[in-house]
Coordinates of all heavy atoms in Angstrom, one line a residue:
M1 N -1.9 90.0 -9.6 CA -1.6 89.7 -11.0 C -0.4 90.5 -11.4 O -0.4 91.7 -11.3 CB -2.9 89.9 -11.8 CG -2.6 89.7 -13.3 SD -3.9 89.9 -14.5 CE -5.1 91.0 -13.8
K2 N 0.6 89.8 -12.0 CA 1.7 90.5 -12.5 C 1.6 90.8 -13.9 O 1.0 90.1 -14.7 CB 3.0 89.7 -12.3 CG 3.3 89.5 -10.8 CD 4.6 88.7 -10.7 CE 4.9 88.5 -9.2 NZ 6.1 87.8 -9.0
K3 N 2.0 92.0 -14.3 CA 1.9 92.5 -15.7 C 3.3 92.7 -16.2 O 4.1 93.3 -15.5 CB 1.1 93.7 -15.8 CG -0.3 93.6 -15.4 CD -1.1 94.9 -15.5 CE -2.5 94.8 -15.0 NZ -3.2 96.0 -15.1
N4 N 3.6 92.2 -17.4 CA 4.9 92.5 -18.0 C 4.7 93.6 -19.1 O 4.0 93.3 -20.1 CB 5.5 91.3 -18.7 CG 5.9 90.2 -17.7 OD1 6.3 90.6 -16.6 ND2 5.7 89.0 -18.0
L5 N 5.2 94.8 -18.9 CA 5.0 95.9 -19.8 C 6.1 95.8 -20.9 O 7.3 95.8 -20.5 CB 5.0 97.2 -19.0 CG 4.0 97.3 -17.9 CD1 4.2 98.6 -17.2 CD2 2.6 97.3 -18.5
P6 N 5.7 95.8 -22.1 CA 6.7 95.6 -23.2 C 7.4 96.9 -23.6 O 7.2 97.4 -24.7 CB 5.8 95.1 -24.3 CG 4.5 95.7 -24.1 CD 4.3 95.8 -22.6
F7 N 8.2 97.5 -22.8 CA 8.9 98.7 -23.1 C 10.3 98.3 -23.6 O 11.1 97.7 -22.8 CB 9.0 99.6 -21.9 CG 7.7 100.2 -21.5 CD1 7.1 99.7 -20.3 CD2 7.1 101.1 -22.2 CE1 5.9 100.2 -19.9 CE2 5.9 101.6 -21.8 CZ 5.3 101.2 -20.7
K8 N 10.6 98.7 -24.8 CA 11.9 98.4 -25.3 C 13.0 99.3 -24.8 O 14.1 98.9 -24.6 CB 11.9 98.5 -26.9 CG 11.0 97.4 -27.5 CD 11.0 97.5 -29.0 CE 10.1 96.5 -29.6 NZ 9.9 96.7 -31.0
L9 N 12.6 100.5 -24.6 CA 13.6 101.5 -24.1 C 13.5 101.7 -22.6 O 14.3 102.5 -22.0 CB 13.4 102.8 -24.8 CG 13.6 102.8 -26.3 CD1 13.3 104.2 -26.9 CD2 15.1 102.5 -26.6
L10 N 12.6 101.1 -21.9 CA 12.4 101.3 -20.5 C 13.4 100.6 -19.7 O 13.6 99.4 -19.8 CB 11.0 100.9 -20.2 CG 10.5 101.1 -18.8 CD1 10.4 102.6 -18.5 CD2 9.2 100.4 -18.6
L11 N 14.1 101.3 -18.8 CA 14.9 100.7 -17.8 C 14.3 100.9 -16.4 O 14.2 102.0 -15.9 CB 16.3 101.4 -17.8 CG 17.2 101.3 -19.0 CD1 18.4 102.2 -18.9 CD2 17.6 99.9 -19.2
A12 N 13.7 99.9 -15.9 CA 13.1 100.0 -14.6 C 14.2 99.9 -13.6 O 15.0 98.9 -13.6 CB 12.1 98.9 -14.4
V13 N 14.4 100.8 -12.7 CA 15.5 100.8 -11.8 C 15.1 101.0 -10.4 O 14.0 101.5 -10.1 CB 16.5 102.0 -12.2 CG1 17.1 101.8 -13.5 CG2 15.8 103.3 -12.1
T14 N 15.9 100.5 -9.5 CA 15.7 100.7 -8.1 C 16.9 101.6 -7.6 O 18.0 101.3 -7.9 CB 15.8 99.4 -7.3 OG1 14.8 98.5 -7.8 CG2 15.6 99.6 -5.8
L15 N 16.5 102.7 -7.0 CA 17.5 103.7 -6.7 C 18.5 103.2 -5.6 O 18.1 102.6 -4.6 CB 16.8 104.9 -6.1 CG 17.5 106.2 -6.1 CD1 18.0 106.6 -7.5 CD2 16.6 107.3 -5.5
L16 N 19.8 103.3 -5.9 CA 20.8 102.9 -5.0 C 21.2 104.0 -4.1 O 21.1 104.0 -2.9 CB 22.1 102.4 -5.7 CG 22.0 101.0 -6.4 CD1 23.3 100.7 -7.1 CD2 21.7 100.0 -5.4
S17 N 21.8 105.1 -4.7 CA 22.2 106.2 -3.9 C 22.4 107.4 -4.8 O 22.7 107.3 -6.0 CB 23.5 105.9 -3.2 OG 24.5 105.7 -4.1
F18 N 22.3 108.6 -4.3 CA 22.6 109.8 -5.0 C 24.1 110.0 -4.7 O 24.6 109.8 -3.7 CB 21.8 111.0 -4.5 CG 20.4 111.1 -5.0 CD1 19.4 110.6 -4.2 CD2 20.2 111.6 -6.2 CE1 18.1 110.6 -4.7 CE2 18.9 111.6 -6.7 CZ 17.9 111.2 -6.0
T19 N 24.8 110.6 -5.7 CA 26.2 110.9 -5.6 C 26.5 112.3 -5.1 O 27.6 112.7 -5.0 CB 27.0 110.6 -6.9 OG1 26.4 111.5 -7.9 CG2 26.9 109.2 -7.3
T20 N 25.4 113.0 -4.7 CA 25.5 114.3 -4.2 C 25.8 114.3 -2.7 O 25.5 113.3 -2.1 CB 24.3 115.2 -4.5 OG1 23.2 114.5 -3.9 CG2 24.0 115.4 -6.0
V21 N 26.5 115.3 -2.2 CA 26.9 115.4 -0.8 C 25.6 115.6 0.0 O 25.4 114.9 1.0 CB 27.9 116.5 -0.6 CG1 28.2 116.6 0.9 CG2 29.2 116.2 -1.3
N22 N 24.8 116.6 -0.4 CA 23.6 116.9 0.4 C 22.4 116.3 -0.4 O 22.3 116.4 -1.6 CB 23.4 118.4 0.5 CG 24.5 119.0 1.3 OD1 25.0 118.5 2.3 ND2 25.0 120.2 0.8
P23 N 21.4 115.8 0.3 CA 20.3 115.2 -0.3 C 19.5 116.3 -1.1 O 19.4 117.4 -0.6 CB 19.4 114.6 0.8 CG 19.9 115.2 2.0 CD 21.3 115.6 1.8
P24 N 18.9 116.0 -2.2 CA 18.2 117.0 -3.0 C 17.0 117.4 -2.3 O 16.3 116.7 -1.6 CB 17.9 116.3 -4.3 CG 18.0 114.9 -4.0 CD 18.9 114.7 -2.9
E25 N 16.6 118.7 -2.5 CA 15.4 119.2 -1.8 C 14.3 119.4 -2.8 O 13.2 119.9 -2.5 CB 15.7 120.6 -1.2 CG 16.7 120.5 -0.1 CD 17.0 121.9 0.5 OE1 16.3 122.9 0.2 OE2 18.0 121.9 1.3
G26 N 14.5 118.9 -4.0 CA 13.5 119.0 -5.1 C 14.1 119.8 -6.2 O 15.1 120.5 -6.1
L27 N 13.4 119.7 -7.4 CA 13.9 120.4 -8.6 C 12.9 121.4 -9.1 O 11.7 121.2 -8.9 CB 14.2 119.4 -9.7 CG 15.3 118.3 -9.3 CD1 15.4 117.3 -10.5 CD2 16.7 119.0 -9.1
N28 N 13.4 122.4 -9.7 CA 12.5 123.4 -10.4 C 12.6 123.1 -11.9 O 13.5 122.4 -12.4 CB 13.0 124.8 -10.0 CG 12.8 125.1 -8.6 OD1 11.7 124.9 -8.0 ND2 13.8 125.7 -8.0
I29 N 11.7 123.8 -12.6 CA 11.8 123.7 -14.1 C 13.1 124.1 -14.6 O 13.7 125.1 -14.1 CB 10.6 124.5 -14.7 CG1 9.3 123.9 -14.3 CG2 10.8 124.6 -16.2 CD1 8.1 124.8 -14.7
N30 N 13.7 123.3 -15.5 CA 15.0 123.5 -16.1 C 16.2 123.2 -15.2 O 17.3 123.5 -15.6 CB 15.1 124.9 -16.8 CG 14.1 125.1 -17.9 OD1 13.9 124.1 -18.7 ND2 13.6 126.2 -18.0
D31 N 16.0 122.7 -14.0 CA 17.1 122.3 -13.2 C 17.6 121.0 -13.7 O 16.9 120.2 -14.3 CB 16.6 122.1 -11.7 CG 16.5 123.3 -10.9 OD1 16.8 124.4 -11.5 OD2 16.0 123.2 -9.8
N32 N 18.9 120.8 -13.5 CA 19.5 119.5 -13.8 C 19.3 118.5 -12.7 O 19.4 118.8 -11.5 CB 21.0 119.6 -14.0 CG 21.4 120.4 -15.3 OD1 20.7 120.3 -16.3 ND2 22.5 121.2 -15.2
A33 N 18.9 117.3 -13.1 CA 18.7 116.2 -12.1 C 20.1 115.8 -11.5 O 21.1 115.8 -12.3 CB 18.1 115.0 -12.7
P34 N 20.2 115.4 -10.3 CA 21.5 115.0 -9.7 C 21.8 113.6 -10.3 O 20.9 112.8 -10.7 CB 21.2 114.9 -8.2 CG 19.7 114.7 -8.1 CD 19.1 115.5 -9.3
D35 N 23.1 113.4 -10.4 CA 23.5 112.1 -11.0 C 23.2 111.0 -9.9 O 23.2 111.2 -8.7 CB 25.0 112.1 -11.2 CG 25.5 110.9 -11.9 OD1 24.8 110.4 -12.8 OD2 26.6 110.4 -11.6
F36 N 22.8 109.8 -10.4 CA 22.6 108.7 -9.5 C 23.0 107.4 -10.2 O 23.1 107.3 -11.4 CB 21.1 108.6 -9.1 CG 20.1 108.4 -10.3 CD1 19.8 107.2 -10.8 CD2 19.5 109.5 -10.9 CE1 19.0 107.0 -11.8 CE2 18.7 109.4 -12.0 CZ 18.4 108.1 -12.4
K37 N 23.2 106.4 -9.3 CA 23.4 105.0 -9.8 C 22.2 104.2 -9.3 O 21.6 104.5 -8.3 CB 24.6 104.4 -9.2 CG 25.9 105.0 -9.7 CD 27.1 104.3 -9.0 CE 28.4 104.9 -9.4 NZ 29.6 104.3 -8.8
A38 N 21.8 103.2 -10.2 CA 20.7 102.4 -9.8 C 20.8 101.0 -10.5 O 21.7 100.8 -11.4 CB 19.4 103.0 -10.3
V39 N 20.1 100.1 -10.0 CA 20.1 98.7 -10.6 C 18.9 98.6 -11.4 O 17.7 98.8 -11.0 CB 20.1 97.7 -9.4 CG1 20.0 96.2 -10.0 CG2 21.3 97.8 -8.5
D40 N 19.1 98.1 -12.7 CA 17.9 97.9 -13.6 C 17.3 96.6 -13.3 O 17.7 95.8 -12.5 CB 18.3 98.1 -15.1 CG 19.2 97.0 -15.6 OD1 19.3 96.0 -15.0 OD2 19.6 97.2 -16.8
Q41 N 16.2 96.3 -14.1 CA 15.4 95.1 -13.9 C 16.2 93.8 -14.2 O 15.8 92.7 -13.8 CB 14.2 95.1 -14.8 CG 14.4 95.0 -16.3 CD 14.7 96.3 -17.0 OE1 15.0 97.3 -16.3 NE2 14.6 96.3 -18.3
N42 N 17.4 93.9 -14.9 CA 18.3 92.8 -15.1 C 19.4 92.7 -14.2 O 20.3 91.9 -14.4 CB 18.8 92.9 -16.6 CG 17.7 92.9 -17.6 OD1 16.8 92.1 -17.5 ND2 17.7 93.8 -18.5
G43 N 19.5 93.5 -13.1 CA 20.5 93.5 -12.1 C 21.8 94.3 -12.5 O 22.8 94.2 -11.8
K44 N 21.7 95.0 -13.7 CA 22.9 95.8 -14.1 C 22.8 97.2 -13.5 O 21.8 97.8 -13.4 CB 22.8 95.9 -15.7 CG 23.9 96.7 -16.3 CD 23.7 96.8 -17.8 CE 24.7 97.7 -18.4 NZ 24.5 98.0 -19.8
I45 N 24.0 97.7 -13.1 CA 24.1 99.0 -12.5 C 24.1 100.0 -13.7 O 24.9 99.9 -14.6 CB 25.3 99.2 -11.6 CG1 25.1 98.3 -10.4 CG2 25.5 100.6 -11.2 CD1 26.3 98.3 -9.4
I46 N 23.3 101.0 -13.6 CA 23.3 102.1 -14.6 C 23.5 103.4 -13.8 O 23.3 103.5 -12.6 CB 22.0 102.2 -15.4 CG1 20.8 102.6 -14.5 CG2 21.7 100.9 -16.2 CD1 19.6 103.1 -15.3
Q47 N 24.1 104.4 -14.6 CA 24.3 105.7 -14.0 C 23.7 106.7 -14.9 O 23.9 106.6 -16.1 CB 25.8 105.9 -13.7 CG 26.1 107.1 -12.9 CD 27.5 107.2 -12.4 OE1 28.3 106.3 -12.6 NE2 27.8 108.2 -11.7
L48 N 23.1 107.7 -14.4 CA 22.4 108.8 -15.2 C 23.4 109.4 -16.1 O 23.2 109.6 -17.3 CB 21.7 109.8 -14.3 CG 21.1 110.9 -15.1 CD1 20.0 110.4 -16.0 CD2 20.5 112.0 -14.1
K49 N 24.6 109.8 -15.6 CA 25.6 110.5 -16.5 C 26.0 109.6 -17.7 O 26.2 110.2 -18.8 CB 26.8 111.0 -15.7 CG 27.8 109.9 -15.3 CD 29.0 110.5 -14.6 CE 30.0 109.5 -14.2 NZ 31.1 110.0 -13.6
D50 N 26.0 108.3 -17.5 CA 26.4 107.4 -18.7 C 25.2 107.4 -19.7 O 25.5 107.4 -20.9 CB 26.7 106.0 -18.2 CG 27.9 105.9 -17.3 OD1 28.8 106.8 -17.5 OD2 28.0 105.0 -16.5
Q51 N 24.0 107.4 -19.2 CA 22.8 107.4 -20.1 C 22.8 108.7 -20.8 O 22.4 108.8 -22.0 CB 21.5 107.2 -19.3 CG 21.5 105.9 -18.6 CD 21.5 104.7 -19.6 OE1 20.8 104.7 -20.6 NE2 22.4 103.7 -19.3
L52 N 23.1 109.8 -20.2 CA 23.1 111.2 -20.8 C 24.2 111.3 -21.9 O 24.0 112.1 -22.8 CB 23.3 112.3 -19.8 CG 22.1 112.5 -18.9 CD1 22.4 113.4 -17.7 CD2 20.9 113.0 -19.7
K53 N 25.2 110.5 -21.9 CA 26.2 110.5 -22.9 C 25.6 110.0 -24.2 O 26.1 110.3 -25.3 CB 27.4 109.7 -22.5 CG 28.3 110.3 -21.4 CD 29.4 109.4 -21.0 CE 30.2 110.0 -19.8 NZ 31.2 109.0 -19.3
K54 N 24.6 109.1 -24.1 CA 24.0 108.5 -25.3 C 22.9 109.4 -25.8 O 22.4 109.2 -27.0 CB 23.4 107.2 -24.9 CG 24.4 106.2 -24.4 CD 23.7 104.9 -23.9 CE 24.6 104.0 -23.2 NZ 23.9 102.8 -22.6
G55 N 22.4 110.4 -25.1 CA 21.3 111.3 -25.5 C 20.5 111.7 -24.3 O 20.8 111.4 -23.2
S56 N 19.4 112.4 -24.6 CA 18.5 112.9 -23.5 C 17.9 111.7 -22.8 O 17.7 110.7 -23.4 CB 17.4 113.8 -24.1 OG 18.0 115.0 -24.7
V57 N 17.4 112.0 -21.6 CA 16.8 111.0 -20.8 C 15.5 111.5 -20.2 O 15.4 112.6 -19.7 CB 17.7 110.5 -19.6 CG1 17.0 109.5 -18.7 CG2 19.0 109.9 -20.2
V58 N 14.4 110.7 -20.4 CA 13.1 111.0 -19.8 C 13.0 110.2 -18.5 O 13.1 108.9 -18.6 CB 12.0 110.7 -20.7 CG1 10.6 110.9 -20.0 CG2 12.1 111.5 -22.0
I59 N 12.9 110.8 -17.4 CA 12.8 110.0 -16.1 C 11.3 110.1 -15.6 O 10.7 111.1 -15.6 CB 13.7 110.7 -15.0 CG1 15.2 110.5 -15.5 CG2 13.5 110.0 -13.7 CD1 16.2 111.2 -14.5
V60 N 10.8 108.9 -15.3 CA 9.5 108.7 -14.9 C 9.5 108.0 -13.5 O 10.3 107.0 -13.4 CB 8.7 107.8 -15.9 CG1 7.3 107.6 -15.4 CG2 8.7 108.4 -17.3
F61 N 8.7 108.4 -12.6 CA 8.7 107.8 -11.3 C 7.4 106.9 -11.3 O 6.3 107.3 -11.6 CB 8.6 108.8 -10.2 CG 9.9 109.5 -10.1 CD1 10.1 110.8 -10.7 CD2 11.0 109.0 -9.3 CE1 11.3 111.4 -10.6 CE2 12.2 109.7 -9.3 CZ 12.3 110.9 -9.9
Y62 N 7.6 105.6 -11.0 CA 6.6 104.6 -11.1 C 6.4 104.0 -9.7 O 7.3 103.3 -9.2 CB 7.0 103.5 -12.1 CG 6.0 102.3 -12.2 CD1 4.8 102.5 -12.8 CD2 6.4 101.1 -11.8 CE1 3.9 101.4 -12.9 CE2 5.6 100.0 -11.9 CZ 4.3 100.2 -12.5 OH 3.5 99.1 -12.6
R63 N 5.3 104.3 -9.0 CA 5.1 103.8 -7.7 C 5.0 102.3 -7.5 O 5.4 101.7 -6.5 CB 3.8 104.5 -7.1 CG 4.0 106.0 -7.0 CD 2.9 106.7 -6.2 NE 1.6 106.3 -6.5 CZ 0.5 106.5 -5.8 NH1 0.6 107.2 -4.7 NH2 -0.7 106.2 -6.2
G64 N 4.4 101.7 -8.5 CA 4.3 100.2 -8.5 C 3.2 99.6 -9.3 O 2.3 100.4 -9.7
E65 N 3.2 98.3 -9.4 CA 2.2 97.6 -10.2 C 0.8 97.7 -9.6 O -0.2 97.6 -10.2 CB 2.6 96.2 -10.5 CG 2.5 95.3 -9.2 CD 2.7 93.9 -9.5 OE1 2.5 93.4 -10.7 OE2 3.1 93.1 -8.6
W66 N 0.8 98.0 -8.3 CA -0.5 98.1 -7.6 C -1.2 99.5 -7.9 O -2.4 99.6 -7.6 CB -0.2 98.0 -6.1 CG 0.8 99.1 -5.6 CD1 2.1 98.9 -5.5 CD2 0.6 100.4 -5.3 NE1 2.8 100.0 -5.1 CE2 1.8 101.0 -5.0 CE3 -0.5 101.2 -5.2 CZ2 2.0 102.3 -4.6 CZ3 -0.4 102.5 -4.8 CH2 0.8 103.1 -4.5
C67 N -0.5 100.4 -8.5 CA -1.1 101.8 -8.7 C -1.7 101.8 -10.1 O -1.0 101.9 -11.1 CB 0.0 102.8 -8.6 SG -0.5 104.5 -9.0
P68 N -3.0 101.9 -10.2 CA -3.6 102.0 -11.6 C -3.3 103.2 -12.3 O -3.2 103.2 -13.6 CB -5.1 101.9 -11.2 CG -5.3 102.3 -9.8 CD -4.0 102.0 -9.1
Y69 N -3.1 104.3 -11.6 CA -2.7 105.6 -12.3 C -1.3 105.5 -12.9 O -1.1 105.9 -14.0 CB -2.8 106.8 -11.3 CG -4.1 106.9 -10.7 CD1 -4.4 106.5 -9.4 CD2 -5.2 107.4 -11.4 CE1 -5.6 106.6 -8.8 CE2 -6.4 107.5 -10.9 CZ -6.6 107.1 -9.6 OH -7.9 107.3 -9.0
C70 N -0.4 104.9 -12.2 CA 1.0 104.7 -12.7 C 1.0 103.8 -13.9 O 1.7 104.0 -14.9 CB 1.9 104.1 -11.6 SG 2.1 105.2 -10.2
N71 N 0.2 102.7 -13.8 CA 0.1 101.8 -15.0 C -0.5 102.4 -16.2 O 0.0 102.2 -17.3 CB -0.7 100.5 -14.6 CG 0.0 99.7 -13.6 OD1 1.2 99.5 -13.6 ND2 -0.8 99.1 -12.7
K72 N -1.5 103.3 -16.0 CA -2.1 104.0 -17.1 C -1.0 105.0 -17.7 O -0.9 105.1 -18.9 CB -3.3 104.8 -16.7 CG -4.0 105.5 -17.8 CD -5.3 106.2 -17.4 CE -5.9 106.8 -18.6 NZ -7.1 107.5 -18.3
Q73 N -0.3 105.6 -16.9 CA 0.8 106.6 -17.4 C 1.8 105.8 -18.2 O 2.2 106.3 -19.3 CB 1.4 107.3 -16.2 CG 2.5 108.3 -16.6 CD 3.3 108.8 -15.5 OE1 3.4 108.3 -14.4 NE2 3.9 110.0 -15.7
L74 N 2.3 104.7 -17.7 CA 3.2 103.9 -18.5 C 2.7 103.4 -19.8 O 3.4 103.4 -20.8 CB 3.8 102.7 -17.7 CG 4.8 103.1 -16.6 CD1 5.3 101.8 -15.9 CD2 5.9 103.9 -17.1
M75 N 1.4 103.0 -19.8 CA 0.8 102.5 -21.0 C 0.7 103.7 -22.1 O 0.9 103.5 -23.2 CB -0.6 102.0 -20.8 CG -0.6 100.7 -20.0 SD 0.3 99.4 -20.9 CE -0.8 98.1 -20.6
E76 N 0.4 104.9 -21.6 CA 0.3 106.0 -22.5 C 1.7 106.5 -22.9 O 1.9 106.9 -24.1 CB -0.4 107.2 -21.8 CG -1.9 106.9 -21.6 CD -2.6 108.0 -20.8 OE1 -2.0 109.0 -20.4 OE2 -3.9 107.8 -20.6
L77 N 2.7 106.3 -22.1 CA 4.0 106.6 -22.4 C 4.5 105.7 -23.5 O 5.3 106.0 -24.4 CB 4.9 106.5 -21.2 CG 6.4 106.9 -21.4 CD1 6.5 108.4 -21.8 CD2 7.2 106.8 -20.1
E78 N 4.0 104.4 -23.5 CA 4.4 103.4 -24.5 C 4.1 103.9 -25.9 O 4.8 103.7 -26.8 CB 3.8 102.1 -24.2 CG 4.2 101.0 -25.1 CD 3.6 99.7 -24.8 OE1 2.6 99.6 -24.0 OE2 4.1 98.7 -25.3
D79 N 3.0 104.7 -26.0 CA 2.6 105.2 -27.3 C 3.6 106.2 -27.8 O 3.6 106.5 -29.0 CB 1.2 105.9 -27.2 CG 0.1 104.9 -26.9 OD1 0.3 103.7 -27.2 OD2 -1.0 105.3 -26.4
S80 N 4.4 106.8 -26.9 CA 5.3 107.9 -27.3 C 6.8 107.3 -27.4 O 7.7 108.1 -27.7 CB 5.3 109.0 -26.3 OG 4.0 109.5 -26.2
I81 N 7.0 106.1 -27.2 CA 8.4 105.5 -27.3 C 9.0 105.8 -28.6 O 10.2 106.2 -28.6 CB 8.4 104.0 -26.9 CG1 8.2 103.9 -25.4 CG2 9.7 103.4 -27.3 CD1 8.1 102.4 -24.9
A82 N 8.3 105.6 -29.7 CA 8.9 105.8 -31.0 C 9.3 107.3 -31.2 O 10.4 107.6 -31.7 CB 8.0 105.4 -32.1
L83 N 8.4 108.2 -30.8 CA 8.7 109.6 -30.8 C 9.9 110.0 -30.0 O 10.8 110.7 -30.4 CB 7.5 110.5 -30.4 CG 7.7 112.0 -30.3 CD1 7.9 112.5 -31.7 CD2 6.5 112.6 -29.6
I84 N 10.0 109.5 -28.8 CA 11.1 109.8 -27.9 C 12.4 109.2 -28.4 O 13.4 109.9 -28.4 CB 10.8 109.2 -26.5 CG1 9.6 110.0 -25.8 CG2 12.0 109.2 -25.6 CD1 9.1 109.3 -24.6
S85 N 12.4 108.0 -28.9 CA 13.6 107.4 -29.4 C 14.1 108.0 -30.7 O 15.3 108.1 -31.0 CB 13.5 105.9 -29.6 OG 12.5 105.6 -30.6
N86 N 13.2 108.5 -31.5 CA 13.5 109.2 -32.8 C 14.2 110.5 -32.5 O 14.9 111.0 -33.3 CB 12.3 109.4 -33.6 CG 11.8 108.2 -34.3 OD1 12.6 107.2 -34.4 ND2 10.6 108.1 -34.7
K87 N 14.0 111.1 -31.3 CA 14.6 112.3 -30.9 C 16.0 112.0 -30.2 O 16.7 112.9 -29.7 CB 13.8 113.1 -29.9 CG 12.4 113.5 -30.4 CD 12.5 114.8 -31.1 CE 11.1 115.3 -31.5 NZ 11.2 116.5 -32.3
G88 N 16.4 110.7 -30.1 CA 17.6 110.3 -29.5 C 17.6 110.2 -28.0 O 18.6 110.2 -27.4
A89 N 16.4 110.1 -27.4 CA 16.3 110.0 -26.0 C 15.9 108.6 -25.5 O 15.5 107.8 -26.4 CB 15.2 111.0 -25.5
S90 N 16.1 108.3 -24.3 CA 15.7 107.0 -23.7 C 14.9 107.3 -22.5 O 14.8 108.5 -22.0 CB 17.0 106.2 -23.3 OG 17.8 106.9 -22.4
I91 N 14.3 106.3 -21.9 CA 13.4 106.4 -20.8 C 13.9 105.6 -19.6 O 14.3 104.5 -19.8 CB 12.0 105.9 -21.1 CG1 11.4 106.7 -22.3 CG2 11.0 106.0 -19.9 CD1 10.1 106.1 -22.9
I92 N 13.9 106.2 -18.4 CA 14.2 105.5 -17.2 C 13.0 105.7 -16.3 O 12.6 106.8 -16.0 CB 15.5 106.1 -16.5 CG1 16.7 105.9 -17.3 CG2 15.7 105.4 -15.1 CD1 18.0 106.5 -16.7
A93 N 12.4 104.5 -15.9 CA 11.3 104.5 -14.9 C 11.9 104.1 -13.6 O 12.5 103.0 -13.4 CB 10.2 103.6 -15.4
I94 N 11.8 104.9 -12.6 CA 12.3 104.7 -11.2 C 11.2 104.2 -10.4 O 10.1 104.8 -10.3 CB 13.0 105.9 -10.7 CG1 14.2 106.3 -11.5 CG2 13.4 105.7 -9.2 CD1 14.8 107.6 -11.1
S95 N 11.4 103.0 -9.7 CA 10.4 102.4 -8.9 C 11.0 101.9 -7.6 O 12.1 101.4 -7.6 CB 9.7 101.3 -9.7 OG 8.7 100.6 -8.8
P96 N 10.2 101.9 -6.5 CA 10.7 101.3 -5.3 C 10.4 99.8 -5.2 O 10.8 99.1 -4.3 CB 9.9 102.1 -4.2 CG 8.6 102.4 -4.8 CD 9.0 102.7 -6.3
E97 N 9.7 99.3 -6.2 CA 9.3 97.9 -6.2 C 10.5 97.0 -6.4 O 11.6 97.4 -6.9 CB 8.3 97.6 -7.3 CG 7.0 98.1 -7.0 CD 5.9 97.3 -7.6 OE1 6.0 97.0 -8.8 OE2 4.9 97.0 -6.9
K98 N 10.4 95.8 -5.9 CA 11.4 94.7 -6.1 C 11.5 94.3 -7.5 O 10.5 94.4 -8.3 CB 11.1 93.6 -5.1 CG 11.2 94.0 -3.7 CD 11.0 92.8 -2.8 CE 11.1 93.3 -1.3 NZ 10.8 92.2 -0.4
Q99 N 12.6 93.6 -7.9 CA 12.8 93.2 -9.2 C 11.7 92.3 -9.8 O 11.3 92.4 -10.9 CB 14.2 92.5 -9.3 CG 14.5 92.1 -10.7 CD 15.9 91.5 -10.8 OE1 16.6 91.4 -9.8 NE2 16.4 91.2 -11.9
E100 N 11.2 91.4 -8.9 CA 10.2 90.4 -9.4 C 8.9 91.1 -9.8 O 8.1 90.5 -10.5 CB 9.9 89.3 -8.4 CG 9.5 89.8 -7.0 CD 10.7 90.0 -6.1 OE1 11.9 90.0 -6.5 OE2 10.4 90.1 -4.9
N101 N 8.7 92.3 -9.4 CA 7.4 93.1 -9.7 C 7.7 94.0 -10.9 O 6.8 94.7 -11.3 CB 6.9 93.8 -8.5 CG 6.4 92.9 -7.4 OD1 6.0 91.8 -7.7 ND2 6.4 93.3 -6.2

């Protein structure tokens, strides 16, 4: 069963590539995320650095519609969209799923 989650600020993206020379080994608290380009659910290429020019970005990793824990996390995040957007931030959910999902 496919679910359409009504996120106004949510950009579901499929990771294209990191622009860093060496692959990241993980991040620590307060580290900057590496810049990346990705394709959103509408086929548009977005880049983290461009989104950061508009304000802060909350990045969420979403394993897929098959994951009940991920779906619950996104539903709970939906309750915070107004708070996040009022702070001038946007949300990017990164998923390995195909566009149709």
Side-chain angles (χ1 to χ4, degrees):
M1 173 175 28
K2 293 184 180 180
K3 297 178 184 177
N4 293 325
L5 301 176
F7 293 106
K8 293 179 182 174
L9 296 176
L10 182 66
L11 294 172
V13 297
T14 303
L15 201 56
L16 286 180
S17 64
F18 282 98
T19 57
T20 56
V21 176
N22 298 318
E25 295 180 12
L27 300 173
N28 294 311
I29 295 173
N30 294 322
D31 282 353
N32 290 325
D35 189 38
F36 62 85
K37 290 181 183 179
V39 177
D40 72 8
Q41 70 274 17
N42 300 313
K44 180 181 172 188
I45 294 177
I46 65 163
Q47 190 165 359
L48 179 59
K49 72 177 183 178
D50 295 335
Q51 297 300 311
L52 288 170
K53 290 177 185 175
K54 300 174 188 175
S56 296
V57 176
V58 176
I59 297 178
V60 178
F61 294 94
Y62 177 68
R63 296 190 311 167
E65 70 173 338
W66 55 269
C67 176
Y69 303 104
C70 298
N71 291 326
K72 183 175 180 179
Q73 179 187 23
L74 285 183
M75 293 297 225
E76 290 176 2
L77 185 60
E78 185 176 15
D79 294 338
S80 302
I81 286 179
L83 175 67
I84 292 168
S85 63
N86 288 340
K87 300 272 185 186
S90 59
I91 301 169
I92 296 176
I94 298 174
S95 177
E97 285 209 314
K98 294 181 180 178
Q99 184 176 1
E100 57 268 14
N101 293 333

